[in-house]
Amino acid sequence: MRLSCSLVLGLVPALASCGAAGPRPEPVANSPDSVEESAVLVPAPAWAADVQTLVGRASEGARTYELVEGLTDAAGPRLAGSAGDPLAVAWGTAAMQRLGFANVRAEPVTVRAWVRGEERVEVLAPVPHRLAAAALGGSIGTPPGGLDGELVRVTSLEALRALSPELARGRIVFVDQRMARAQDGHGYGETVPVRGQSASIAAGLGAIAVIIRSVGTDATRFAHTGAMRYADGAPQIPAAAVSNADADVLGRWLERGETVRLHLELGAHDGGEAQSANVIGEIPGTDRAEEIVLLGAHLDSWDLGRGAVDDGAGCAIVMEAGRWIREASTRPRRTVRVVLFANEENGLAGARAYAAAHHEEPHALGIEADFGDGRAWALRTPDLADRPDPAAISARWDPLARLLAPMGVVWQPDEPHGGADLGPMHAPPPEGAAMPVVDVVQDGTRYFDLHHTANDVLTEVDRASLDHAMRAVLAVAYAASLDVE
Amino acid sequence: MRLSCSLVLGLVPALASCGAAGPRPEPVANSPDSVEESAVLVPAPAWAADVQTLVGRASEGARTYELVEGLTDAAGPRLAGSAGDPLAVAWGTAAMQRLGFANVRAEPVTVRAWVRGEERVEVLAPVPHRLAAAALGGSIGTPPGGLDGELVRVTSLEALRALSPELARGRIVFVDQRMARAQDGHGYGETVPVRGQSASIAAGLGAIAVIIRSVGTDATRFAHTGAMRYADGAPQIPAAAVSNADADVLGRWLERGETVRLHLELGAHDGGEAQSANVIGEIPGTDRAEEIVLLGAHLDSWDLGRGAVDDGAGCAIVMEAGRWIREASTRPRRTVRVVLFANEENGLAGARAYAAAHHEEPHALGIEADFGDGRAWALRTPDLADRPDPAAISARWDPLARLLAPMGVVWQPDEPHGGADLGPMHAPPPEGAAMPVVDVVQDGTRYFDLHHTANDVLTEVDRASLDHAMRAVLAVAYAASLDVE
């Protein structure tokens, strides 16, 4: 049916200004402009009213925050293969059943465990004291008793590659590159290669260990861990991150010409194979039940914190969105499948296992939530990047953009990425299943203050912005389950 | 000389509105009211113009922040008797000489060292993982291999005293009392007895250890350490603080009826006697040189952070105030003596040593800076509390209040405390020397987020508010050095 704006206004406070965005060259913000336009009646597809109604209902009584609390209290830190991993799987399975999902199951995933063990990074000179530091995921440990070395500092991977082996040999290399703060989190992409690659490059120059400035935007003494990888065949040396506040002090000492000596003791080691699982639940569709709308987040977390924003928030967003779709008066035509992936942080075994088991099932669309508790601010849809002409913007996505504009979500003409857990399904054949993806982009301004730190805990989660992101994901997912044009 | 307001306005931006506060029943804020009054010319004592001029000069070019950086980079953590302690003494002595202080010396102080050692507090059930925790200063360690116990929770010292020995015996007592956030920091006084007394009370009930919610206002995973004391003759059990974020989780589990078991391994132990020092420098007076205006702060810090706000900020405030007095065109009549006290955090040996050595010298006034980097917002002067009648407010302090009012510093009719390091000199005879004190009260709203944590580092120091507090202390100290009425 067609919906009159007055009816919409009556029904859905969260989306009261209907048709806020028509096809337009620029992304649509919820600006005075768009509010003006919103007075104009724009024909919407039949499913739009159902989406508006459901998102409006979800603007009150959402339990997203309570799901983050439930997971973090029940499983705490849950690195793949750790004690918290099976607790998280048990919580996810029970929670999905309690929320009324169908076909709830835990599909086994074999993961490779990494164990931090005890660790200690100390300054020996010029000022003996302990640093706030954390081994990087996948790092080897130090020899028994640890190792001592003088620091040599570079401020980028390029500078590291250009470092003379004479300066690196026998020393501990300090890669001191800062991450920029940005709403879209682009600083992470610029800096994360330092975390992943520094160890093997430094080892090739004869260094005995590497420390990096934390890949994070805070200036505190929380160290940011995260995955690193040794290059095939390269010598392996221990790798750790120091907090940004500690990196500042090391940097000032070295710039003043002080000789800085560190003692590193890292108990990091491989933990062997372990069993984990992808936790899956569904809201069955009606006439297109065989077509899947996939909502993904990851159930595992790093070991230092409790994984509240990374990715308890994402798990809560997709589970709560699914719960609202189940409560919709108009049932989804496609099946909405919520997947809590195993082992995203340190191996992606869950994403690969899902693709191996399900790549032959038709997936209409994939949406991933793995960017914390920030508000949704952008929608990225396929087939825009290659169609710069405004007039040619796909009618396929325009009604969805109209639904999100009043929430302050702009339509961005960038290609959606999908996210790490959707990668194997999104990738083109023969590797992947070419599943289309849409990005509901969240505000990452604060996300990298907490990301992979001991302070990734419930007290840092913002209920209002978390619920906002949930409603945006709900709108996209429910629309995708109804819109079979 | 008498100073006309127009002249003042020309000279000193920081104190442009002169005579903002006349004698009045209520404390004076820098409000529209007081601005109105500031148009009125009020006679000021001869020294007022010199103070206004100097504070005006100090409103540009202050190096307070750089002194905090210097101390924290040169000494880092500097708990009495630790490796950083002598580094701090060396830095303080050299810095005072560089700043042009006279009679710079380090007066030896014998301190009792306490050593944290390695520590680990883990949840065994319901969710195995490590907590953010820190032994309290003065605590004994756990037996080799640590101890395990079930948690029993109380939310106040009163509830702890009332706890049945049947519930405490063989268990770990968790004292879960929250500290309130307040500009005047009164929540600390309400909560700190939990830190000091819980261990002996719980031990008397048969508990095997005690953990407390951190005495701090943050909700993060930084644990707040601080001194505790065992009651004479009471059995001694280990005591640690858990971060507020961890206390929240423990509290939720226990309120849901979960059985919570912890493993505590605390390497804390006595470190024996060690040598430290009070670092002292002076700006000699002229005709009243034998009379001392004492500016005190403490040079030591807790071991987890770098003592930037506690009390690097205070050391920098009193040192920088002294430097400006040295640069004043009108020399102080009394001698301004800056003392960086040893061992405030864990024994007060420095304060006692100073009093023992100097109690016979005439001390005109004492001012202590030990409340971080917050703006100055109140002045507390002697002999107001016992003179409630506004008309009777001492003419002694009125001119000083007028100088501070335009900076937003109100005159509070409360008795000044002086602070821990001034205690032995401020105390009445025969214990003390009855030295008068004035409080320059700083804004403590954020102070207890960082206080005694690993995050007490330079990156958390606010340059502008730190300089503001320095100028207020400068005004009081310089006035006291000139005003010999």
Side-chain angles (χ1 to χ4, degrees):
Chain A
M1 75 182 200
R2 288 282 158 82
L3 195 75
S4 85
C5 209
S6 58
L7 175 53
V8 176
L9 285 164
L11 282 175
V12 285
L15 291 164
S17 56
C18 68
R24 48 180 22 241
E26 296 304 308
V28 183
N30 190 6
S31 63
D33 282 3
S34 58
V35 171
E36 235 171 74
E37 291 174 39
S38 71
V40 183
L41 292 189
V42 184
W47 50 262
D50 293 312
V51 174
Q52 289 177 314
T53 304
L54 186 60
V55 173
R57 284 174 57 198
S59 66
E60 288 182 11
R63 306 272 300 163
T64 328
Y65 181 92
E66 286 69 19
L67 287 170
V68 181
E69 176 179 325
L71 171 58
T72 54
D73 282 3
R78 47 196 183 273
L79 187 59
S82 72
D85 188 352
L87 294 174
V89 170
W91 175 86
T93 310
M96 281 206 192
Q97 279 158 344
R98 196 178 61 249
L99 295 174
F101 284 83
N103 310 321
V104 175
R105 71 267 194 190
E107 296 185 345
V109 177
T110 300
V111 299
R112 189 89 200 172
W114 173 83
V115 180
R116 177 174 304 281
E118 293 297 299
E119 56 192 9
R120 182 177 188 85
V121 176
E122 285 180 312
V123 179
L124 301 174
V127 177
H129 68 288
R130 189 170 190 161
L131 297 179
L136 297 180
S139 174
I140 61 170
T142 54
L147 57 82
D148 299 353
E150 185 180 332
L151 273 195
V152 55
R153 174 176 178 253
V154 294
T155 56
S156 70
L157 271 186
E158 299 59 44
L160 175 58
R161 291 194 184 90
L163 183 66
S164 119
E166 285 59 41
L167 287 174
R169 190 169 302 116
R171 293 206 171 93
I172 298 169
V173 170
F174 171 33
V175 187
D176 188 11
Q177 181 176 326
R178 287 179 190 277
M179 175 179 168
R181 184 185 297 274
Q183 176 168 302
D184 68 358
H186 69 265
Y188 189 63
E190 295 166 355
T191 319
V192 76
V194 169
R195 192 182 75 204
Q197 303 170 34
S198 291
S200 289
I201 300 171
L205 299 170
I208 59 174
V210 66
I211 63 169
I212 66 167
R213 172 183 284 273
S214 280
V215 177
T217 46
D218 62 300
T220 72
R221 294 195 77 205
F222 288 117
H224 297 242
T225 188
M228 56 79 64
R229 295 258 179 287
Y230 293 111
D232 298 342
Q236 302 193 347
I237 58 174
V242 297
S243 77
N244 281 306
D246 288 299
D248 288 352
V249 174
L250 296 176
R252 282 196 299 270
W253 282 338
L254 292 163
E255 281 170 357
R256 287 199 292 259
E258 303 248 27
T259 296
V260 181
R261 289 182 55 78
L262 296 189
H263 173 72
L264 262 68
E265 248 176 287
L266 304 181
H269 58 276
D270 177 76
E273 280 196 347
Q275 283 306 303
S276 183
N278 292 330
V279 175
I280 302 179
E282 295 174 347
I283 312 301
T286 52
D287 60 312
R288 301 289 193 98
E290 72 287 358
E291 299 176 18
I292 305 299
V293 173
L294 177 60
L295 295 187
H298 68 85
L299 188 55
D300 64 314
S301 79
W302 278 105
D303 58 326
L304 298 172
R306 290 197 182 89
V309 301
D310 184 14
D311 188 24
C315 292
I317 286 168
V318 295
M319 291 169 78
E320 182 68 0
R323 178 179 79 86
W324 282 102
I325 292 171
R326 178 179 169 276
E327 297 191 357
S329 45
T330 302
R331 290 180 56 195
R333 298 178 63 181
R334 296 184 170 115
T335 293
V336 174
R337 177 181 290 170
V338 170
V339 180
L340 309 182
F341 289 93
N343 183 224
E344 187 274 342
E345 296 291 8
N346 203 25
L348 285 173
R352 283 193 293 268
Y354 179 88
H358 301 280
H359 67 277
E360 286 178 347
E361 302 163 19
H363 282 69
L365 190 71
I367 306 158
E368 181 168 327
D370 187 14
F371 212 55
D373 64 344
R375 284 175 60 90
W377 66 275
L379 173 72
R380 293 181 187 145
T381 58
D383 82 12
L384 288 181
D386 58 343
R387 294 166 69 170
D389 169 13
I393 287 181
S394 170
R396 170 73 178 80
W397 299 112
D398 182 57
L400 183 59
R402 291 188 213 175
L403 287 169
L404 292 173
M407 297 174 69
V409 178
V410 301
W411 192 5
Q412 266 206 341
D414 301 333
E415 191 61 24
H417 305 298
D421 282 316
L422 300 190
M425 288 296 296
H426 178 48
E431 296 70 26
M435 171 182 72
V437 297
V438 160
D439 291 345
V440 175
V441 187
Q442 294 176 250
D443 187 331
T445 307
R446 271 189 70 251
Y447 181 60
F448 291 101
D449 290 347
L450 307 167
H451 182 255
H452 296 186
T453 70
N455 201 38
D456 180 0
V457 289
L458 185 69
T459 42
E460 297 293 334
V461 174
D462 182 78
R463 183 187 289 267
S465 59
L466 178 69
D467 283 338
H468 182 273
M470 183 279 293
R471 291 195 301 274
V473 168
L474 170 61
V476 176
Y478 189 41
S481 76
L482 292 172
D483 174 16
V484 299
E485 309 307 313
Chain B
M1 75 182 205
R2 290 281 156 86
L3 197 75
S4 85
C5 208
S6 56
L7 174 54
V8 176
L9 285 164
L11 281 174
V12 284
L15 292 165
S17 56
C18 69
R24 47 181 21 240
E26 295 304 306
V28 183
N30 189 7
S31 64
D33 282 0
S34 57
V35 170
E36 237 171 70
E37 291 173 40
S38 71
V40 183
L41 292 189
V42 184
W47 49 263
D50 293 314
V51 174
Q52 289 178 315
T53 303
L54 186 61
V55 173
R57 284 174 58 197
S59 67
E60 287 183 10
R63 307 272 300 161
T64 329
Y65 181 93
E66 285 69 20
L67 287 170
V68 181
E69 178 179 324
L71 171 58
T72 53
D73 282 4
R78 47 196 183 276
L79 187 60
S82 72
D85 189 352
L87 294 174
V89 170
W91 175 86
T93 310
M96 282 208 194
Q97 278 157 345
R98 196 178 63 249
L99 295 175
F101 283 84
N103 310 322
V104 175
R105 71 266 193 191
E107 296 185 346
V109 177
T110 300
V111 299
R112 189 89 202 173
W114 174 82
V115 180
R116 176 173 305 281
E118 292 296 300
E119 54 191 12
R120 182 176 186 85
V121 176
E122 285 179 313
V123 179
L124 301 175
V127 177
H129 68 288
R130 188 169 191 161
L131 297 179
L136 297 179
S139 174
I140 61 171
T142 54
L147 57 82
D148 299 354
E150 185 180 331
L151 272 196
V152 55
R153 174 177 179 253
V154 294
T155 56
S156 69
L157 271 186
E158 298 59 44
L160 174 58
R161 292 195 184 91
L163 183 64
S164 123
E166 285 58 44
L167 288 173
R169 189 170 300 118
R171 293 207 170 92
I172 299 169
V173 170
F174 171 34
V175 188
D176 187 11
Q177 181 175 326
R178 285 179 192 277
M179 175 179 168
R181 184 184 297 276
Q183 176 170 299
D184 68 358
H186 69 265
Y188 189 63
E190 295 167 354
T191 320
V192 76
V194 169
R195 192 182 76 205
Q197 303 169 35
S198 290
S200 289
I201 300 172
L205 299 171
I208 58 173
V210 66
I211 63 169
I212 66 167
R213 171 183 285 272
S214 279
V215 178
T217 48
D218 62 299
T220 71
R221 293 196 78 205
F222 287 117
H224 296 243
T225 189
M228 56 79 65
R229 297 257 178 289
Y230 293 111
D232 297 341
Q236 301 192 348
I237 58 175
V242 298
S243 77
N244 282 307
D246 287 299
D248 287 354
V249 175
L250 296 175
R252 282 196 299 269
W253 282 337
L254 291 163
E255 281 171 357
R256 287 198 293 258
E258 304 248 28
T259 296
V260 180
R261 288 182 57 77
L262 296 189
H263 173 72
L264 262 67
E265 248 175 288
L266 305 180
H269 58 277
D270 176 76
E273 281 196 346
Q275 284 306 304
S276 184
N278 293 330
V279 175
I280 302 179
E282 295 173 346
I283 311 301
T286 52
D287 60 312
R288 302 288 192 101
E290 73 284 0
E291 298 175 18
I292 305 300
V293 174
L294 176 59
L295 295 187
H298 68 85
L299 189 54
D300 64 313
S301 79
W302 278 105
D303 58 327
L304 297 173
R306 289 194 183 90
V309 302
D310 185 15
D311 188 24
C315 292
I317 285 168
V318 295
M319 291 170 77
E320 182 69 359
R323 178 178 79 83
W324 282 102
I325 291 171
R326 177 178 169 278
E327 298 191 357
S329 44
T330 302
R331 290 180 56 195
R333 296 178 65 181
R334 295 185 171 113
T335 293
V336 176
R337 178 182 290 169
V338 170
V339 179
L340 309 182
F341 288 94
N343 182 224
E344 188 272 344
E345 296 292 7
N346 202 27
L348 286 173
R352 282 192 293 267
Y354 179 86
H358 300 281
H359 68 279
E360 285 175 350
E361 302 164 19
H363 282 69
L365 190 71
I367 306 157
E368 181 168 326
D370 186 14
F371 212 56
D373 64 342
R375 283 174 61 89
W377 67 275
L379 173 71
R380 293 181 186 143
T381 57
D383 83 15
L384 288 181
D386 57 346
R387 295 166 69 170
D389 170 13
I393 287 179
S394 169
R396 170 75 179 77
W397 299 111
D398 182 58
L400 183 59
R402 292 189 211 174
L403 288 169
L404 292 172
M407 297 174 70
V409 178
V410 300
W411 191 6
Q412 267 205 341
D414 300 334
E415 192 60 24
H417 305 299
D421 282 317
L422 299 190
M425 287 296 296
H426 178 47
E431 295 71 26
M435 173 182 71
V437 296
V438 161
D439 292 346
V440 175
V441 188
Q442 294 176 250
D443 186 332
T445 307
R446 270 190 71 252
Y447 181 61
F448 291 101
D449 289 348
L450 306 166
H451 182 255
H452 296 185
T453 70
N455 201 36
D456 180 0
V457 290
L458 185 69
T459 42
E460 297 293 335
V461 174
D462 181 77
R463 182 187 289 268
S465 59
L466 178 69
D467 282 338
H468 183 273
M470 183 279 294
R471 290 195 301 275
V473 168
L474 170 61
V476 176
Y478 189 42
S481 77
L482 292 173
D483 175 16
V484 297
E485 308 308 311

